[in-house]
Amino acid sequence: MTHDIVFTVNGNPERASVPATMTLLDLLRDRLALTGTKEGCGIGECGACTVLLNGKPITACLMLAVEADGQAIETIEGEAVGGELSVLQQSFIDAGATQCGFCTPGMIMSAHGLLLRSPSPSHDEIVEAIAGNLCRCTGYEAIIAAIRLAADRLGGEPHDA
Amino acid sequence: MLGNFEYTRIRSIDEGCRALADAKEAGAVLAGGTDLLVEIRNGLKSPKLLVDCKALDDLHVLDTSPEKTTIGASVTLNRLIENRTFRGHYPALADALESIGTYQLRNRATVSGNICNGSPAADSAPVLLVLDATVHVHGVGGPRVIPIADFFAGVKRTALNPDEIVTSITLPVNAGRRTSFLKQQRIKGHDLAVVNAAGAYDPETREVRLAIGSCAPTPVLLDPIPMDVSDLAASINHAVSLVQRSVSPISDVRASAGYRNAVLPVLVTRILRELLDPGGEA
Ligand SMILES: Cc1cc2nc3c(=O)[nH]c(=O)nc-3n(C[C@H](O)[C@H](O)[C@H](O)COP(=O)(O)OP(=O)(O)OC[C@H]3O[C@@H](n4cnc5c(N)ncnc54)[C@H](O)[C@@H]3O)c2cc1C
Ligand code: FES
Ligand code: FES
């Protein structure tokens, strides 16, 4: 049996007819061709599949596509607007926070969720926000610096050293 | 694609209980899915029907009234962790929930899912046990309540019947009692507890409640232990020996029985020092 669902992705209304067993991650990648969202582990451990569900970061591999019915999803493809990189994306480049890039979409979506709930995050808040995003290249320091840089550029007041 | 199952989003709790009863043990409630979908993917579970209760408004209730706190079954861990009133009343429970998984996971996972999964390592369990939580469930025959001390029945087994759905967990007021939760784990966010433990101390009765996870087939709650604050060291030694007699740690992928036996007294001692001698010479 398939389920007809209505939802938005990056603000665009979408409809799909999905089997119960399809994950949100498969819906995004295989049906909507939004392959910016990555699959690393498929079991909630690596964070490569992080997207925003109604503004909150979640792992798309641990949510069924049918559960997206009526919900708002944001993916890495929604970051750049009109060909212009988002402040977070530009900060990742400027801080050298990307190497192979596999973790980057998930990192940016986790960071996006963080800046929505805490526009001027402390170092510890940044670390906790990306603790569920594994990176095997950068050693994390440049990523933390990139998120701090983005927060500063967006006008948040840093509240620790 | 995950497994081979059907999905239903229920519009009433009775509809859900009937669907589970009709599925004859092949049904499973889908809350955050952070345990269930992993177990389906890994082939450890193969339910034929997933019953999603998240469209029921009643199950999203979080009520922190002065008499008792009600945590609806669909309330996410982050909603609790980020609620100041909740943290103020139950700091040890907030700490325990914050120790679970990753930020993304806590935006989906629920306390009900944590206990219904029946893991001996469930991080909410020790604190719920020392706080005397009550589990409210609904089945085809109507509602009933299960004291948390009677809820865990074995590894991956609970007191729930196949047609029953947890609707909420309630907590009595925690006035005057001090509580604490500690957890030993290998890597935060990517592993379960090697040992976890919670304590609650009532300065009026001078009794402590202790509960231990990951050291027996279920989380273990000890009977209240009287504490003699004038001889704290002796009281702590006594409590530690009672704990050691109540558990039966095994060796598994996370740790050896020997390691668990070595960590346990350290965690229990730290909890008791924190509860009975806050700010003292630990
Ligand atoms: C990467 C990762 C890290 C994790 N880290 C931790 C950790 O540190 N500590 C920890 O304790 N756990 C951890 N977990 C396990 C899991 O995330 C938690 O147990 C979580 O609280 C489960 O809640 P859920 O809402 O996602 O449950 P679900 O997966 O939806 O359900 C779990 C089980 O409970 C049943 N169930 C759920 N709700 C109900 C209900 N209302 N009535 C009846 N039955 C119900 C389901 O059928 C299923 O069998 C981790 C999991 C992952 C993937
Ligand atoms: S692919 Fe979802 S967390 Fe790894
Ligand atoms: S840049 Fe390669 S995994 Fe993070």
Side-chain angles (χ1 to χ4, degrees):
Chain A
M1 191 175 124
T2 56
H3 299 263
D4 294 324
I5 59 170
V6 181
F7 55 106
T8 66
V9 179
N10 302 322
N12 304 318
E14 299 279 357
R15 282 174 182 279
S17 190
V18 296
T21 51
M22 178 180 261
T23 64
L24 173 61
L25 180 57
D26 290 341
L27 172 66
L28 293 171
R29 289 182 55 87
D30 300 345
R31 286 280 184 90
L32 301 178
L34 295 173
T35 52
T37 306
K38 304 301 178 201
E39 173 158 11
C41 64
I43 51 169
E45 306 218 355
C46 73
C49 66
T50 303
V51 298
L52 301 187
L53 169 68
N54 305 322
K56 296 188 161 118
I58 59 127
T59 51
C61 68
L62 289 189
M63 179 167 152
L64 297 178
V66 54
E67 292 181 275
D69 191 26
Q71 314 297 316
I73 310 293
E74 282 162 78
T75 69
I76 188 70
E77 286 86 354
E79 282 289 305
V81 178
E84 185 110 356
L85 294 182
S86 72
V87 171
L88 262 169
Q89 286 173 312
Q90 190 60 52
S91 301
F92 267 63
I93 293 172
D94 295 343
T98 285
Q99 288 184 28
C100 80
F102 194 80
C103 70
T104 310
M107 285 288 181
I108 288 182
M109 297 321 286
S110 280
H112 189 142
L114 170 67
L115 297 182
L116 284 177
R117 66 184 180 274
S118 180
S120 38
S122 67
H123 180 269
D124 287 355
E125 277 179 281
I126 296 175
V127 169
E128 184 57 32
I130 60 167
N133 295 82
L134 300 186
C135 175
R136 54 190 296 179
C137 304
T138 65
Y140 300 102
E141 291 301 331
I143 294 174
I144 295 166
I147 297 171
R148 162 59 46 78
L149 183 62
D152 292 351
R153 285 174 173 174
L154 288 164
E157 297 285 309
H159 55 62
D160 73 353
Chain B
M1 298 286 178
L2 294 168
N4 177 19
F5 52 79
E6 288 302 331
Y7 166 94
T8 178
R9 183 180 307 141
I10 56 166
R11 297 285 155 194
S12 76
I13 200 79
D14 287 320
E15 180 194 336
C17 299
R18 275 198 309 275
L20 287 170
D22 291 346
K24 300 198 181 17
E25 315 218 350
V29 174
L30 174 69
T34 64
D35 267 316
L36 186 59
L37 297 183
V38 173
E39 289 184 327
I40 291 174
R41 184 169 169 132
N42 291 342
L44 297 172
K45 274 190 188 155
S46 42
K48 291 280 160 272
L49 178 70
L50 303 196
V51 175
D52 185 348
C53 306
K54 292 190 288 294
L56 303 180
D57 289 342
D58 290 357
L59 272 56
H60 287 278
V61 165
L62 170 58
D63 181 5
T64 51
S65 67
E67 301 80 45
K68 71 167 189 228
T69 286
T70 302
I71 305 170
S74 298
V75 174
T76 63
L77 302 185
N78 272 345
R79 252 186 88 196
L80 292 164
I81 294 163
E82 288 163 7
N83 184 304
R84 277 165 197 249
T85 314
F86 178 80
R87 184 178 282 278
H89 288 324
Y90 311 101
L93 186 51
D95 287 349
L97 302 182
E98 205 164 6
S99 83
I100 294 178
T102 65
Y103 185 79
Q104 293 97 309
L105 182 125
R106 297 192 293 273
N107 273 334
R108 296 287 290 165
T110 62
V111 183
S112 296
N114 193 237
I115 62 167
C116 290
N117 193 48
S119 165
D123 281 313
S124 69
V127 191
L128 293 175
L129 283 165
V130 299
L131 288 175
D132 282 322
T134 302
V135 186
H136 299 255
V137 314
H138 204 100
V140 281
R144 68 171 176 131
V145 296
I146 309 175
I148 187 78
D150 299 334
F151 189 78
F152 301 103
V155 177
K156 298 271 163 183
R157 285 193 297 117
T158 68
L160 291 178
N161 296 320
D163 62 307
E164 284 181 321
I165 298 172
V166 171
T167 51
S168 69
I169 297 170
T170 53
L171 300 167
V173 275
N174 191 33
R177 287 200 295 173
R178 291 184 216 136
T179 54
S180 170
F181 169 80
L182 286 178
K183 168 176 176 182
Q184 180 73 11
Q185 67 190 138
R186 298 183 301 182
I187 316 163
K188 183 176 175 342
H190 307 276
D191 202 5
L192 297 177
V194 165
V195 176
N196 55 18
Y201 177 64
D202 186 339
E204 254 174 44
T205 62
R206 300 203 174 165
E207 283 180 341
V208 77
R209 308 264 9 221
L210 287 172
I212 312 294
S214 288
C215 287
T218 66
V220 171
L221 175 67
L222 279 78
D223 289 334
I225 307 168
M227 298 303 283
D228 178 2
V229 276
S230 66
D231 192 353
L232 200 52
S235 283
I236 290 177
N237 283 342
H238 176 61
V240 166
S241 68
L242 290 175
V243 166
Q244 284 166 327
R245 263 181 269 158
S246 314
V247 299
S248 48
I250 56 163
S251 297
D252 64 12
V253 288
R254 272 179 280 282
S256 66
Y259 182 73
R260 289 197 162 92
N261 277 320
V263 167
L264 193 54
V266 178
L267 286 195
V268 172
T269 303
R270 280 186 195 154
I271 285 176
L272 292 173
R273 291 247 173 235
E274 191 184 319
L275 293 177
L276 289 136
D277 188 20
E281 308 281 302

